[in-house]
Every structure is written in structure tokens, then in C-alpha cells.
Amino acid sequence: VNTSGNVTVSTGNVVMGTSGKGIDFAATANGSGTMTSELLNDYEEGTWTPVATGLTNVGAVTYTATYTKIGRVVYINLKVTAVTSTTSVANTTYFSGLPFTPALNSTITAVNEGNITSLGVGLIATGSTVFTPNWTAVQNATLSGFYYV
């Protein structure tokens, strides 16, 4: 601790030794809303294994799925890579296996990576399922967005 009261960690990490503890922002100025907590107590990065249902593929398809969780918000990214093409039908094609069960419905976006064309907006429904937007015969698509847990 220096003379200004700041803590410096030269090497290593700050580790919370008890679950549910974190960085408390209680000293910050509050807005006009009603707050329930000013404690940041969770950060996590990782991968997840999507399971496709109703996706029409021509040739082999691979999935690369990552997530970052900060507090109650989970940011997801899912890249669908097809040798030839893949097609999705809105509200009938979905991916299951999200890393955390959503607390509320959230929207995601999908992009055709070949020419960065927007493929529309999908829905993350309760029960760890991502219902995809409609896309036709694209080789690479990325779905990304966030939801709350």
C-alpha cells in the first residue's frame, strides 16, 4: 500500500479466497435507479460445445464457440464453418449447450463472414437454447451476443 492508499501488485494476481466476494464499488456515486449490488464477484472465460438441431449442411461443418462471463452477463460467440454451405431456418434451427442457463430471453446477431452481410437476429430462449435467424447457403456464419444469468 503506497502513501496515496493505492495497492500495487507487482507480480501475481489478486485472489478472492471466499466464494461470493469480489470488488466492492459501494463508494461510487449512485444513479437515480434502484441498485441491488455494487459487488463485482465473477469473471470467467472459456469454450462451450454447441449442439446443432435443424441445421442443413452440405459438406462437413465445424463449430468454434467461446464465452466470457462478467457478473450476470454472458457474452457468447459461435462460428459455424462449412466446407460447402449451411442453411438455417428461423425459429426451427437452434443450438443447445450454452455454458449457463439464461435467466431472461436475449437477442443475438448473425453475420455471413464471406461478405459481412447481416443474416438477422436470433433469440436465446430459456433452457440453454439459441434459436437462429434465417440464413441460406452460407459457408461461414458467426452468431454473437449476450444474455443474463
Side-chain angles (χ1 to χ4, degrees), residues 19-112:
S19 177
K21 301 298 180 185
I23 302 169
D24 190 340
F25 292 97
T28 61
N30 296 321
S32 60
T34 57
M35 128 194 84
T36 58
S37 177
E38 292 184 324
L39 185 68
L40 176 60
N41 64 358
D42 192 10
Y43 179 87
E44 184 177 327
E45 294 180 350
T47 60
W48 56 285
T49 305
V51 178
T53 300
L55 194 66
T56 302
N57 303 315
V58 178
V61 175
T62 58
Y63 307 105
T64 306
T66 59
Y67 73 90
T68 301
K69 182 177 183 286
I70 303 171
R72 291 185 51 234
V73 181
V74 180
Y75 298 90
I76 61 166
N77 191 63
L78 168 58
K79 182 175 181 179
V80 180
T81 306
V83 170
T84 304
S85 70
T86 185
T87 301
S88 167
V89 178
N91 301 321
T92 62
T93 303
Y94 60 90
F95 291 96
S96 57
L98 287 170
F100 302 94
T101 301
L104 301 172
N105 290 340
S106 302
T107 57
I108 59 169
T109 57
V111 174
N112 176 1

